[in-house]
Amino acid sequence: MREDGTVLLRALGMGAPAGLAMLLLSGNGGHTPLAAQSFATVEREVQAGVRRGIYPGAVVIIGRHDRVLYRRGIGRLTWSAGAPRPTPDGTLWDLASLTKVLATASTAARLVDRGQLDLDAPVRQYLPGFAGTGKERVTVRMLLDHTSGLPAWLPLWRETASRDEAIARVLAEPLARPAGASAVYSDLNAILLGLVIERVTGQSLADAAREEVFIPLGLATTRFRPAPGQGLRIAPTDRSRPATARGEVNDQNAAHFGGVAGHAGLFATADDVARFAQAWLRGGVADDGTWVRGETLRAFLQRSASSGTRLLGWDSPDPLASPSVFGTLVSASAYGHTGFTGTELWIDPARDLFLVFLTNRTYDPRVRDAAGAIRLVRARVSDATLRAFEAACVAARVPEARAC
């Protein structure tokens, strides 16, 4: 991609049809699939977040199952005028809770697909230490859709002295609600699921995720605990930390776990997150064949009677949210996730469309309520993406957005 914003319509991942790679999005009489300038409104919304001081930099990728429609870095990695511009393929971002879908839930999906993990088995079947009143009814599925009854969070980094003590604390934590009664988003669910994966595979979560997700999908930059030499490529998330600390996870509980936990700790480029989204849009098809069967992925995109908007690992649009990070225009079949550091991914299978929007909004924000402010930016970027996409389809004379 050139600095003037010209975007390459290129395959970012697996099995792209011949002839799609390296096609330039340009005029060609108005008959190209989409025009690059169509996404100028998206860029303006992202730049508005920089101007307001919500985050110093961001990367946006918009694409489909077989190609990328828009891809650009905006702003800088810090507020310094001399700081580098983030890039889609070079900048590593602390994904925060996107770890839950890119690593933990997706590794679980692979294990379910092979019959190594039973979604409806009690958690204590895999983690015998998970004991206490009502916990015998908590299943693996409840960890994924947040209906386990566990509380939302614990300051494990402050209340325990080691990873082992933190694990013991999570296993012993009593339920706050009856298992399966309602969904309350909880990091503890993902932490436990990470431990279940470790028990099933006999590997660390980092090794299991690498073998089950990152390698099969070609996510070459995605990893827990980036090497120290990559520090200058990593978007900083905490101004109080020295530059040499880049690559240390922002989440204190994940740091307490040594940088590898089911709820946070993953770093990746935007290009890798886009490849991951494409694999889901393709129904689990990877470059060398099936990564996860479509039947299994569809099971992970189902709600239960009590899970509200929560799917298995993923979230979905809440019609009552104002604003929703999905915006107001995504289809009812859309699903996605956000991260505390300022990350977001959503996938809309009805339109064969995804949005990757990564920022470092926790790095010295210039606004008082950066968390609330970025929620509004996410909503506006999401709506701008859908409006630009639909308008581009009309301009390209494609009557159905799915065929655009």
PDB file of all heavy atoms in Angstrom, residues 84-122:
ATOM      1  N   PRO A  84       7.445   6.330  14.810  1.00  0.00           N
ATOM      2  CA  PRO A  84       7.094   5.695  13.532  1.00  0.00           C
ATOM      3  C   PRO A  84       5.588   5.519  13.372  1.00  0.00           C
ATOM      4  O   PRO A  84       4.844   5.448  14.355  1.00  0.00           O
ATOM      5  CB  PRO A  84       7.800   4.338  13.611  1.00  0.00           C
ATOM      6  CG  PRO A  84       8.006   4.090  15.062  1.00  0.00           C
ATOM      7  CD  PRO A  84       8.189   5.424  15.703  1.00  0.00           C
ATOM      8  N   ARG A  85       5.171   5.451  12.127  1.00  0.00           N
ATOM      9  CA  ARG A  85       3.776   5.162  11.800  1.00  0.00           C
ATOM     10  C   ARG A  85       3.527   3.658  11.931  1.00  0.00           C
ATOM     11  O   ARG A  85       4.364   2.862  11.508  1.00  0.00           O
ATOM     12  CB  ARG A  85       3.478   5.613  10.369  1.00  0.00           C
ATOM     13  CG  ARG A  85       2.036   5.398   9.918  1.00  0.00           C
ATOM     14  CD  ARG A  85       1.864   5.761   8.454  1.00  0.00           C
ATOM     15  NE  ARG A  85       2.182   7.162   8.216  1.00  0.00           N
ATOM     16  CZ  ARG A  85       1.311   8.160   8.390  1.00  0.00           C
ATOM     17  NH1 ARG A  85       0.086   7.902   8.798  1.00  0.00           N
ATOM     18  NH2 ARG A  85       1.676   9.408   8.139  1.00  0.00           N
ATOM     19  N   PRO A  86       2.418   3.251  12.501  1.00  0.00           N
ATOM     20  CA  PRO A  86       2.122   1.815  12.545  1.00  0.00           C
ATOM     21  C   PRO A  86       1.869   1.262  11.146  1.00  0.00           C
ATOM     22  O   PRO A  86       1.377   1.978  10.270  1.00  0.00           O
ATOM     23  CB  PRO A  86       0.857   1.740  13.409  1.00  0.00           C
ATOM     24  CG  PRO A  86       0.227   3.086  13.289  1.00  0.00           C
ATOM     25  CD  PRO A  86       1.351   4.064  13.122  1.00  0.00           C
ATOM     26  N   THR A  87       2.214   0.022  10.942  1.00  0.00           N
ATOM     27  CA  THR A  87       2.002  -0.614   9.650  1.00  0.00           C
ATOM     28  C   THR A  87       1.234  -1.919   9.824  1.00  0.00           C
ATOM     29  O   THR A  87       1.352  -2.583  10.871  1.00  0.00           O
ATOM     30  CB  THR A  87       3.332  -0.915   8.942  1.00  0.00           C
ATOM     31  OG1 THR A  87       4.074  -1.862   9.729  1.00  0.00           O
ATOM     32  CG2 THR A  87       4.155   0.357   8.760  1.00  0.00           C
ATOM     33  N   PRO A  88       0.460  -2.320   8.816  1.00  0.00           N
ATOM     34  CA  PRO A  88      -0.330  -3.552   8.944  1.00  0.00           C
ATOM     35  C   PRO A  88       0.502  -4.809   9.086  1.00  0.00           C
ATOM     36  O   PRO A  88       0.086  -5.760   9.748  1.00  0.00           O
ATOM     37  CB  PRO A  88      -1.151  -3.579   7.645  1.00  0.00           C
ATOM     38  CG  PRO A  88      -1.205  -2.154   7.194  1.00  0.00           C
ATOM     39  CD  PRO A  88       0.113  -1.571   7.588  1.00  0.00           C
ATOM     40  N   ASP A  89       1.685  -4.827   8.464  1.00  0.00           N
ATOM     41  CA  ASP A  89       2.480  -6.048   8.484  1.00  0.00           C
ATOM     42  C   ASP A  89       3.662  -5.996   9.431  1.00  0.00           C
ATOM     43  O   ASP A  89       4.289  -7.029   9.688  1.00  0.00           O
ATOM     44  CB  ASP A  89       2.988  -6.365   7.075  1.00  0.00           C
ATOM     45  CG  ASP A  89       3.866  -5.251   6.494  1.00  0.00           C
ATOM     46  OD1 ASP A  89       3.855  -4.137   7.057  1.00  0.00           O
ATOM     47  OD2 ASP A  89       4.544  -5.491   5.485  1.00  0.00           O
ATOM     48  N   GLY A  90       3.992  -4.815   9.974  1.00  0.00           N
ATOM     49  CA  GLY A  90       5.190  -4.693  10.784  1.00  0.00           C
ATOM     50  C   GLY A  90       4.963  -4.415  12.251  1.00  0.00           C
ATOM     51  O   GLY A  90       5.805  -4.768  13.084  1.00  0.00           O
ATOM     52  N   THR A  91       3.854  -3.791  12.603  1.00  0.00           N
ATOM     53  CA  THR A  91       3.604  -3.408  13.989  1.00  0.00           C
ATOM     54  C   THR A  91       2.900  -4.525  14.737  1.00  0.00           C
ATOM     55  O   THR A  91       1.868  -5.030  14.295  1.00  0.00           O
ATOM     56  CB  THR A  91       2.748  -2.137  14.066  1.00  0.00           C
ATOM     57  OG1 THR A  91       3.399  -1.082  13.348  1.00  0.00           O
ATOM     58  CG2 THR A  91       2.537  -1.715  15.505  1.00  0.00           C
ATOM     59  N   LEU A  92       3.476  -4.897  15.879  1.00  0.00           N
ATOM     60  CA  LEU A  92       2.849  -5.877  16.762  1.00  0.00           C
ATOM     61  C   LEU A  92       2.003  -5.151  17.800  1.00  0.00           C
ATOM     62  O   LEU A  92       2.452  -4.168  18.402  1.00  0.00           O
ATOM     63  CB  LEU A  92       3.908  -6.724  17.459  1.00  0.00           C
ATOM     64  CG  LEU A  92       4.635  -7.770  16.612  1.00  0.00           C
ATOM     65  CD1 LEU A  92       5.854  -8.281  17.360  1.00  0.00           C
ATOM     66  CD2 LEU A  92       3.702  -8.911  16.276  1.00  0.00           C
ATOM     67  N   TRP A  93       0.794  -5.642  18.022  1.00  0.00           N
ATOM     68  CA  TRP A  93      -0.129  -5.035  18.971  1.00  0.00           C
ATOM     69  C   TRP A  93      -0.419  -6.005  20.111  1.00  0.00           C
ATOM     70  O   TRP A  93      -0.548  -7.216  19.888  1.00  0.00           O
ATOM     71  CB  TRP A  93      -1.452  -4.675  18.280  1.00  0.00           C
ATOM     72  CG  TRP A  93      -1.268  -3.751  17.119  1.00  0.00           C
ATOM     73  CD1 TRP A  93      -0.924  -4.088  15.837  1.00  0.00           C
ATOM     74  CD2 TRP A  93      -1.393  -2.322  17.135  1.00  0.00           C
ATOM     75  NE1 TRP A  93      -0.834  -2.964  15.057  1.00  0.00           N
ATOM     76  CE2 TRP A  93      -1.121  -1.863  15.824  1.00  0.00           C
ATOM     77  CE3 TRP A  93      -1.736  -1.402  18.122  1.00  0.00           C
ATOM     78  CZ2 TRP A  93      -1.164  -0.521  15.482  1.00  0.00           C
ATOM     79  CZ3 TRP A  93      -1.778  -0.054  17.783  1.00  0.00           C
ATOM     80  CH2 TRP A  93      -1.497   0.384  16.484  1.00  0.00           C
ATOM     81  N   ASP A  94      -0.524  -5.480  21.311  1.00  0.00           N
ATOM     82  CA  ASP A  94      -0.992  -6.254  22.454  1.00  0.00           C
ATOM     83  C   ASP A  94      -2.498  -6.446  22.249  1.00  0.00           C
ATOM     84  O   ASP A  94      -3.286  -5.513  22.420  1.00  0.00           O
ATOM     85  CB  ASP A  94      -0.700  -5.487  23.740  1.00  0.00           C
ATOM     86  CG  ASP A  94      -1.136  -6.216  25.006  1.00  0.00           C
ATOM     87  OD1 ASP A  94      -1.991  -7.118  24.920  1.00  0.00           O
ATOM     88  OD2 ASP A  94      -0.646  -5.856  26.088  1.00  0.00           O
ATOM     89  N   LEU A  95      -2.913  -7.646  21.891  1.00  0.00           N
ATOM     90  CA  LEU A  95      -4.306  -7.884  21.506  1.00  0.00           C
ATOM     91  C   LEU A  95      -5.263  -7.936  22.678  1.00  0.00           C
ATOM     92  O   LEU A  95      -6.478  -7.910  22.485  1.00  0.00           O
ATOM     93  CB  LEU A  95      -4.411  -9.192  20.709  1.00  0.00           C
ATOM     94  CG  LEU A  95      -3.655  -9.245  19.384  1.00  0.00           C
ATOM     95  CD1 LEU A  95      -3.927 -10.569  18.693  1.00  0.00           C
ATOM     96  CD2 LEU A  95      -4.038  -8.080  18.477  1.00  0.00           C
ATOM     97  N   ALA A  96      -4.732  -8.028  23.915  1.00  0.00           N
ATOM     98  CA  ALA A  96      -5.587  -8.070  25.105  1.00  0.00           C
ATOM     99  C   ALA A  96      -6.625  -9.188  24.955  1.00  0.00           C
ATOM    100  O   ALA A  96      -6.262 -10.324  24.653  1.00  0.00           O
ATOM    101  CB  ALA A  96      -6.217  -6.701  25.350  1.00  0.00           C
ATOM    102  N   SER A  97      -7.909  -8.888  25.094  1.00  0.00           N
ATOM    103  CA  SER A  97      -8.923  -9.943  25.108  1.00  0.00           C
ATOM    104  C   SER A  97      -9.209 -10.565  23.752  1.00  0.00           C
ATOM    105  O   SER A  97      -9.962 -11.545  23.682  1.00  0.00           O
ATOM    106  CB  SER A  97     -10.227  -9.418  25.716  1.00  0.00           C
ATOM    107  OG  SER A  97     -10.112  -9.333  27.120  1.00  0.00           O
ATOM    108  N   LEU A  98      -8.616 -10.048  22.674  1.00  0.00           N
ATOM    109  CA  LEU A  98      -8.695 -10.799  21.417  1.00  0.00           C
ATOM    110  C   LEU A  98      -7.966 -12.134  21.551  1.00  0.00           C
ATOM    111  O   LEU A  98      -8.181 -13.050  20.760  1.00  0.00           O
ATOM    112  CB  LEU A  98      -8.101  -9.998  20.260  1.00  0.00           C
ATOM    113  CG  LEU A  98      -8.903  -8.808  19.738  1.00  0.00           C
ATOM    114  CD1 LEU A  98      -8.293  -8.296  18.439  1.00  0.00           C
ATOM    115  CD2 LEU A  98     -10.360  -9.156  19.514  1.00  0.00           C
ATOM    116  N   THR A  99      -7.114 -12.253  22.575  1.00  0.00           N
ATOM    117  CA  THR A  99      -6.493 -13.532  22.910  1.00  0.00           C
ATOM    118  C   THR A  99      -7.554 -14.611  23.096  1.00  0.00           C
ATOM    119  O   THR A  99      -7.348 -15.776  22.730  1.00  0.00           O
ATOM    120  CB  THR A  99      -5.668 -13.395  24.196  1.00  0.00           C
ATOM    121  OG1 THR A  99      -4.661 -12.396  24.010  1.00  0.00           O
ATOM    122  CG2 THR A  99      -5.010 -14.704  24.596  1.00  0.00           C
ATOM    123  N   LYS A 100      -8.684 -14.230  23.657  1.00  0.00           N
ATOM    124  CA  LYS A 100      -9.741 -15.207  23.954  1.00  0.00           C
ATOM    125  C   LYS A 100     -10.239 -15.908  22.702  1.00  0.00           C
ATOM    126  O   LYS A 100     -10.619 -17.084  22.758  1.00  0.00           O
ATOM    127  CB  LYS A 100     -10.906 -14.512  24.669  1.00  0.00           C
ATOM    128  CG  LYS A 100     -10.599 -13.978  26.055  1.00  0.00           C
ATOM    129  CD  LYS A 100     -11.814 -13.291  26.653  1.00  0.00           C
ATOM    130  CE  LYS A 100     -11.598 -12.886  28.117  1.00  0.00           C
ATOM    131  NZ  LYS A 100     -10.732 -11.712  28.254  1.00  0.00           N
ATOM    132  N   VAL A 101     -10.264 -15.198  21.558  1.00  0.00           N
ATOM    133  CA  VAL A 101     -10.752 -15.834  20.329  1.00  0.00           C
ATOM    134  C   VAL A 101      -9.611 -16.327  19.446  1.00  0.00           C
ATOM    135  O   VAL A 101      -9.696 -17.416  18.874  1.00  0.00           O
ATOM    136  CB  VAL A 101     -11.701 -14.900  19.550  1.00  0.00           C
ATOM    137  CG1 VAL A 101     -13.020 -14.756  20.292  1.00  0.00           C
ATOM    138  CG2 VAL A 101     -11.089 -13.535  19.282  1.00  0.00           C
ATOM    139  N   LEU A 102      -8.538 -15.542  19.301  1.00  0.00           N
ATOM    140  CA  LEU A 102      -7.448 -15.964  18.419  1.00  0.00           C
ATOM    141  C   LEU A 102      -6.692 -17.158  18.966  1.00  0.00           C
ATOM    142  O   LEU A 102      -6.205 -17.982  18.182  1.00  0.00           O
ATOM    143  CB  LEU A 102      -6.460 -14.812  18.177  1.00  0.00           C
ATOM    144  CG  LEU A 102      -6.735 -13.978  16.920  1.00  0.00           C
ATOM    145  CD1 LEU A 102      -7.773 -12.922  17.179  1.00  0.00           C
ATOM    146  CD2 LEU A 102      -5.454 -13.358  16.389  1.00  0.00           C
ATOM    147  N   ALA A 103      -6.582 -17.265  20.272  1.00  0.00           N
ATOM    148  CA  ALA A 103      -5.818 -18.364  20.863  1.00  0.00           C
ATOM    149  C   ALA A 103      -6.717 -19.376  21.559  1.00  0.00           C
ATOM    150  O   ALA A 103      -6.820 -20.527  21.149  1.00  0.00           O
ATOM    151  CB  ALA A 103      -4.779 -17.816  21.844  1.00  0.00           C
ATOM    152  N   THR A 104      -7.424 -18.943  22.595  1.00  0.00           N
ATOM    153  CA  THR A 104      -8.060 -19.895  23.505  1.00  0.00           C
ATOM    154  C   THR A 104      -9.267 -20.586  22.885  1.00  0.00           C
ATOM    155  O   THR A 104      -9.328 -21.821  22.813  1.00  0.00           O
ATOM    156  CB  THR A 104      -8.443 -19.184  24.811  1.00  0.00           C
ATOM    157  OG1 THR A 104      -7.363 -18.336  25.224  1.00  0.00           O
ATOM    158  CG2 THR A 104      -8.716 -20.193  25.907  1.00  0.00           C
ATOM    159  N   ALA A 105     -10.254 -19.817  22.426  1.00  0.00           N
ATOM    160  CA  ALA A 105     -11.457 -20.433  21.855  1.00  0.00           C
ATOM    161  C   ALA A 105     -11.139 -21.200  20.579  1.00  0.00           C
ATOM    162  O   ALA A 105     -11.712 -22.266  20.323  1.00  0.00           O
ATOM    163  CB  ALA A 105     -12.518 -19.373  21.594  1.00  0.00           C
ATOM    164  N   SER A 106     -10.234 -20.672  19.752  1.00  0.00           N
ATOM    165  CA  SER A 106      -9.924 -21.343  18.494  1.00  0.00           C
ATOM    166  C   SER A 106      -9.136 -22.630  18.716  1.00  0.00           C
ATOM    167  O   SER A 106      -9.331 -23.617  17.995  1.00  0.00           O
ATOM    168  CB  SER A 106      -9.155 -20.395  17.567  1.00  0.00           C
ATOM    169  OG  SER A 106      -9.999 -19.349  17.130  1.00  0.00           O
ATOM    170  N   THR A 107      -8.251 -22.649  19.705  1.00  0.00           N
ATOM    171  CA  THR A 107      -7.587 -23.905  20.054  1.00  0.00           C
ATOM    172  C   THR A 107      -8.602 -24.912  20.569  1.00  0.00           C
ATOM    173  O   THR A 107      -8.566 -26.096  20.210  1.00  0.00           O
ATOM    174  CB  THR A 107      -6.490 -23.658  21.106  1.00  0.00           C
ATOM    175  OG1 THR A 107      -5.531 -22.739  20.594  1.00  0.00           O
ATOM    176  CG2 THR A 107      -5.782 -24.961  21.475  1.00  0.00           C
ATOM    177  N   ALA A 108      -9.532 -24.441  21.394  1.00  0.00           N
ATOM    178  CA  ALA A 108     -10.596 -25.320  21.881  1.00  0.00           C
ATOM    179  C   ALA A 108     -11.413 -25.882  20.722  1.00  0.00           C
ATOM    180  O   ALA A 108     -11.788 -27.065  20.720  1.00  0.00           O
ATOM    181  CB  ALA A 108     -11.495 -24.566  22.855  1.00  0.00           C
ATOM    182  N   ALA A 109     -11.689 -25.054  19.712  1.00  0.00           N
ATOM    183  CA  ALA A 109     -12.461 -25.520  18.556  1.00  0.00           C
ATOM    184  C   ALA A 109     -11.737 -26.662  17.844  1.00  0.00           C
ATOM    185  O   ALA A 109     -12.362 -27.637  17.408  1.00  0.00           O
ATOM    186  CB  ALA A 109     -12.721 -24.368  17.599  1.00  0.00           C
ATOM    187  N   ARG A 110     -10.436 -26.557  17.699  1.00  0.00           N
ATOM    188  CA  ARG A 110      -9.660 -27.628  17.066  1.00  0.00           C
ATOM    189  C   ARG A 110      -9.745 -28.920  17.891  1.00  0.00           C
ATOM    190  O   ARG A 110      -9.891 -30.018  17.343  1.00  0.00           O
ATOM    191  CB  ARG A 110      -8.203 -27.205  16.927  1.00  0.00           C
ATOM    192  CG  ARG A 110      -7.927 -26.296  15.761  1.00  0.00           C
ATOM    193  CD  ARG A 110      -7.555 -27.070  14.512  1.00  0.00           C
ATOM    194  NE  ARG A 110      -6.184 -27.550  14.581  1.00  0.00           N
ATOM    195  CZ  ARG A 110      -5.511 -28.025  13.541  1.00  0.00           C
ATOM    196  NH1 ARG A 110      -6.084 -28.102  12.360  1.00  0.00           N
ATOM    197  NH2 ARG A 110      -4.262 -28.447  13.667  1.00  0.00           N
ATOM    198  N   LEU A 111      -9.671 -28.795  19.206  1.00  0.00           N
ATOM    199  CA  LEU A 111      -9.729 -29.975  20.063  1.00  0.00           C
ATOM    200  C   LEU A 111     -11.115 -30.601  20.026  1.00  0.00           C
ATOM    201  O   LEU A 111     -11.255 -31.831  20.010  1.00  0.00           O
ATOM    202  CB  LEU A 111      -9.339 -29.599  21.495  1.00  0.00           C
ATOM    203  CG  LEU A 111      -7.925 -29.051  21.686  1.00  0.00           C
ATOM    204  CD1 LEU A 111      -7.682 -28.668  23.136  1.00  0.00           C
ATOM    205  CD2 LEU A 111      -6.867 -30.041  21.213  1.00  0.00           C
ATOM    206  N   VAL A 112     -12.148 -29.769  20.001  1.00  0.00           N
ATOM    207  CA  VAL A 112     -13.520 -30.269  19.872  1.00  0.00           C
ATOM    208  C   VAL A 112     -13.675 -30.985  18.535  1.00  0.00           C
ATOM    209  O   VAL A 112     -14.276 -32.066  18.444  1.00  0.00           O
ATOM    210  CB  VAL A 112     -14.535 -29.120  19.997  1.00  0.00           C
ATOM    211  CG1 VAL A 112     -15.941 -29.566  19.592  1.00  0.00           C
ATOM    212  CG2 VAL A 112     -14.557 -28.573  21.429  1.00  0.00           C
ATOM    213  N   ASP A 113     -13.121 -30.399  17.496  1.00  0.00           N
ATOM    214  CA  ASP A 113     -13.227 -30.958  16.148  1.00  0.00           C
ATOM    215  C   ASP A 113     -12.633 -32.365  16.073  1.00  0.00           C
ATOM    216  O   ASP A 113     -13.119 -33.216  15.323  1.00  0.00           O
ATOM    217  CB  ASP A 113     -12.513 -30.020  15.173  1.00  0.00           C
ATOM    218  CG  ASP A 113     -13.003 -30.169  13.747  1.00  0.00           C
ATOM    219  OD1 ASP A 113     -14.225 -30.119  13.531  1.00  0.00           O
ATOM    220  OD2 ASP A 113     -12.166 -30.330  12.842  1.00  0.00           O
ATOM    221  N   ARG A 114     -11.578 -32.607  16.846  1.00  0.00           N
ATOM    222  CA  ARG A 114     -10.919 -33.916  16.834  1.00  0.00           C
ATOM    223  C   ARG A 114     -11.447 -34.855  17.909  1.00  0.00           C
ATOM    224  O   ARG A 114     -10.942 -35.962  18.078  1.00  0.00           O
ATOM    225  CB  ARG A 114      -9.409 -33.736  17.025  1.00  0.00           C
ATOM    226  CG  ARG A 114      -8.701 -33.124  15.838  1.00  0.00           C
ATOM    227  CD  ARG A 114      -7.220 -33.479  15.852  1.00  0.00           C
ATOM    228  NE  ARG A 114      -6.571 -32.998  17.063  1.00  0.00           N
ATOM    229  CZ  ARG A 114      -5.940 -31.820  17.163  1.00  0.00           C
ATOM    230  NH1 ARG A 114      -5.888 -31.009  16.124  1.00  0.00           N
ATOM    231  NH2 ARG A 114      -5.372 -31.458  18.286  1.00  0.00           N
ATOM    232  N   GLY A 115     -12.438 -34.405  18.677  1.00  0.00           N
ATOM    233  CA  GLY A 115     -13.000 -35.250  19.710  1.00  0.00           C
ATOM    234  C   GLY A 115     -12.171 -35.331  20.970  1.00  0.00           C
ATOM    235  O   GLY A 115     -12.408 -36.194  21.831  1.00  0.00           O
ATOM    236  N   GLN A 116     -11.213 -34.422  21.145  1.00  0.00           N
ATOM    237  CA  GLN A 116     -10.371 -34.424  22.343  1.00  0.00           C
ATOM    238  C   GLN A 116     -10.969 -33.608  23.490  1.00  0.00           C
ATOM    239  O   GLN A 116     -10.527 -33.742  24.627  1.00  0.00           O
ATOM    240  CB  GLN A 116      -8.986 -33.866  22.006  1.00  0.00           C
ATOM    241  CG  GLN A 116      -8.164 -34.727  21.086  1.00  0.00           C
ATOM    242  CD  GLN A 116      -6.820 -34.092  20.778  1.00  0.00           C
ATOM    243  OE1 GLN A 116      -6.640 -33.462  19.731  1.00  0.00           O
ATOM    244  NE2 GLN A 116      -5.868 -34.237  21.688  1.00  0.00           N
ATOM    245  N   LEU A 117     -11.930 -32.778  23.178  1.00  0.00           N
ATOM    246  CA  LEU A 117     -12.547 -31.902  24.172  1.00  0.00           C
ATOM    247  C   LEU A 117     -14.054 -31.946  23.984  1.00  0.00           C
ATOM    248  O   LEU A 117     -14.553 -31.805  22.863  1.00  0.00           O
ATOM    249  CB  LEU A 117     -12.027 -30.474  24.012  1.00  0.00           C
ATOM    250  CG  LEU A 117     -12.553 -29.411  24.984  1.00  0.00           C
ATOM    251  CD1 LEU A 117     -12.128 -29.738  26.412  1.00  0.00           C
ATOM    252  CD2 LEU A 117     -12.048 -28.024  24.592  1.00  0.00           C
ATOM    253  N   ASP A 118     -14.768 -32.135  25.081  1.00  0.00           N
ATOM    254  CA  ASP A 118     -16.232 -32.234  25.062  1.00  0.00           C
ATOM    255  C   ASP A 118     -16.807 -30.944  25.637  1.00  0.00           C
ATOM    256  O   ASP A 118     -16.586 -30.627  26.813  1.00  0.00           O
ATOM    257  CB  ASP A 118     -16.673 -33.431  25.892  1.00  0.00           C
ATOM    258  CG  ASP A 118     -18.179 -33.648  25.898  1.00  0.00           C
ATOM    259  OD1 ASP A 118     -18.924 -32.789  25.358  1.00  0.00           O
ATOM    260  OD2 ASP A 118     -18.623 -34.664  26.466  1.00  0.00           O
ATOM    261  N   LEU A 119     -17.532 -30.202  24.817  1.00  0.00           N
ATOM    262  CA  LEU A 119     -18.091 -28.926  25.273  1.00  0.00           C
ATOM    263  C   LEU A 119     -19.031 -29.092  26.451  1.00  0.00           C
ATOM    264  O   LEU A 119     -19.154 -28.192  27.286  1.00  0.00           O
ATOM    265  CB  LEU A 119     -18.830 -28.239  24.117  1.00  0.00           C
ATOM    266  CG  LEU A 119     -17.971 -27.646  23.008  1.00  0.00           C
ATOM    267  CD1 LEU A 119     -18.850 -27.156  21.865  1.00  0.00           C
ATOM    268  CD2 LEU A 119     -17.109 -26.502  23.543  1.00  0.00           C
ATOM    269  N   ASP A 120     -19.712 -30.209  26.538  1.00  0.00           N
ATOM    270  CA  ASP A 120     -20.716 -30.388  27.592  1.00  0.00           C
ATOM    271  C   ASP A 120     -20.227 -31.237  28.762  1.00  0.00           C
ATOM    272  O   ASP A 120     -21.010 -31.620  29.634  1.00  0.00           O
ATOM    273  CB  ASP A 120     -21.987 -30.990  26.979  1.00  0.00           C
ATOM    274  CG  ASP A 120     -22.626 -30.025  25.981  1.00  0.00           C
ATOM    275  OD1 ASP A 120     -22.788 -28.840  26.343  1.00  0.00           O
ATOM    276  OD2 ASP A 120     -22.919 -30.425  24.851  1.00  0.00           O
ATOM    277  N   ALA A 121     -18.929 -31.493  28.781  1.00  0.00           N
ATOM    278  CA  ALA A 121     -18.340 -32.177  29.930  1.00  0.00           C
ATOM    279  C   ALA A 121     -18.141 -31.180  31.064  1.00  0.00           C
ATOM    280  O   ALA A 121     -17.863 -29.998  30.833  1.00  0.00           O
ATOM    281  CB  ALA A 121     -17.007 -32.805  29.544  1.00  0.00           C
ATOM    282  N   PRO A 122     -18.275 -31.627  32.312  1.00  0.00           N
ATOM    283  CA  PRO A 122     -17.995 -30.719  33.429  1.00  0.00           C
ATOM    284  C   PRO A 122     -16.522 -30.327  33.447  1.00  0.00           C
ATOM    285  O   PRO A 122     -15.644 -31.135  33.133  1.00  0.00           O
ATOM    286  CB  PRO A 122     -18.380 -31.540  34.664  1.00  0.00           C
ATOM    287  CG  PRO A 122     -18.355 -32.960  34.221  1.00  0.00           C
ATOM    288  CD  PRO A 122     -18.694 -32.965  32.773  1.00  0.00           C
TER     289      PRO A 122
END
